Amino acid sequence: MHVNGMKIRRFESPRGAARALARHMVHAVADRPDLVLGLPTGRTPVLLYAELVRRYRAGEVDFSRVRTFNLDEFLGIAPSDPRSYRTFMARHLFDHVNLERRRIHFLDGTAADPDDECRRYERAIARAGGIDLMLLGLGANGHIGFNEPAASLVGATHPATLTAATRRANAALFGNDRRQVPARALSMGMATILRARRIVLLATGTSKARMVDRLVTGPITPLLPASFLQLHRCAEVWIDRAAAASLSGRAAP
Ligand code: GLP
């Protein structure tokens, strides 16, 4: 089903969505072995990464030429820090498949000059020829990457200030103490994300239902950064039954 230019795909369960997306990615890599992927962290993609690892172990996919760019990283947290998004990705995906280290790209939260680091990242994405398939999660407040709801959004990769809600949502990585979550991060910007050739936003669970409805059926507003996906030529929203529960209007089940 298409609503506001976005393709909506519904699945019975988070596992069903993860399986379908992994299958889709395996085919995409078979078609284009040097595919450029944009990757998210968070609880949502964990099942997807597990499914990709399973398929890799089954000999169904070769990641050796695939290139990856993660969306974001905490400012002040070193890549090797157990709380970094870089470590999260190693634990859930990178350490278990044959991605080559030099083809894995990450923002470095400890770079001496964060603005320079953001410019370096934009150049690296451009040099790779842009992102072919951008996978996104959805923040409970409607953020994508660390592009938080605000009066205005930033186009390029940039240092971002996190809202209290987002710091709370990320507390699990920091011993469940939201005060330990850095107040700032580096994130791909809205234009960086929207330049990807294809975008798939994955959202599961009841906690995302209201935001999913607003992003699909509501107005495009910086107060809900994910709503900008409506402007993309090739954006898809993959959801499970729980995340689809509040869909209204033309998108209603
Ligand atoms: C973090 C990340 C986002 C992610 C979001 C949702 O804030 N910066 O990229 O999409 O969490 O996380 P979860 O999937 O755990 O709900």
Side-chain angles (χ1 to χ4, degrees):
M1 172 198 277
H2 282 82
V3 181
N4 286 334
M6 282 184 297
K7 185 170 173 182
I8 318 292
R9 294 200 55 183
R10 297 167 208 249
F11 299 87
E12 272 307 304
S13 63
R15 188 166 297 278
R19 284 212 176 115
L21 188 47
R23 192 180 324 117
H24 182 84
M25 290 172 71
V26 165
H27 287 141
V29 173
D31 284 349
R32 178 150 187 203
D34 62 347
L35 194 74
V36 181
L37 287 171
L39 297 176
T41 51
R43 281 172 296 273
T44 312
V46 167
L47 279 176
L48 167 70
Y49 295 151
E51 195 58 27
L52 287 174
V53 170
R54 189 185 69 71
R55 284 176 175 267
Y56 168 71
R57 289 188 177 140
E60 294 175 28
V61 56
D62 174 10
F63 288 103
S64 63
R65 292 178 56 206
V66 169
R67 293 161 290 170
T68 69
F69 288 87
N70 262 80
L71 269 165
D72 44 19
E73 180 59 283
F74 296 108
L75 206 56
I77 302 287
S80 59
D81 189 303
R83 303 163 301 176
S84 72
Y85 276 171
R86 180 68 181 73
T87 300
F88 175 97
M89 289 304 299
R91 194 180 323 129
H92 290 285
L93 183 67
F94 298 161
D95 283 355
H96 311 291
V97 298
N98 67 335
L99 272 165
E100 278 201 25
R101 291 289 162 268
R102 68 195 165 101
R103 299 192 216 273
I104 293 174
H105 299 268
F106 236 94
L107 284 154
D108 182 347
T110 53
D113 182 334
D115 292 304
D116 250 11
E117 172 63 2
C118 292
R119 283 189 288 269
R120 177 196 68 80
Y121 210 55
E122 288 286 345
R123 283 195 303 273
I125 294 171
R127 219 176 307 117
I131 293 169
D132 294 312
L133 175 58
M134 179 87 234
L135 304 181
L136 296 174
L138 176 64
N141 64 0
H143 74 222
I144 48 180
F146 275 132
N147 294 277
E148 296 275 41
S152 62
L153 299 172
V154 181
T157 299
H158 62 285
T161 302
L162 309 188
T163 61
T166 295
R167 290 176 74 193
R168 216 167 25 245
N170 280 277
L173 287 170
F174 293 85
N176 289 318
D177 180 356
R178 75 187 143 89
R179 286 163 311 177
Q180 301 296 320
V181 181
R184 302 184 76 210
L186 301 178
S187 177
M188 282 189 198
M190 293 301 293
T192 322
I193 292 170
L194 291 170
R195 264 195 303 272
R197 291 179 192 90
R198 277 191 62 202
I199 300 177
V200 174
L201 179 140
L202 181 64
T204 54
T206 37
S207 67
K208 302 291 169 73
R210 216 172 54 85
M211 273 304 153
V212 165
D213 178 52
R214 285 181 54 198
L215 98 87
V216 171
T217 66
I220 298 166
T221 163
L223 298 176
L224 203 173
S227 65
F228 277 74
L229 297 184
Q230 292 180 26
L231 295 173
H232 196 272
R233 213 182 277 276
C234 228
E236 303 181 14
V237 177
W238 292 37
I239 45 181
D240 70 337
R241 187 202 276 272
S246 301
L247 279 173
S248 56
R250 276 178 307 131

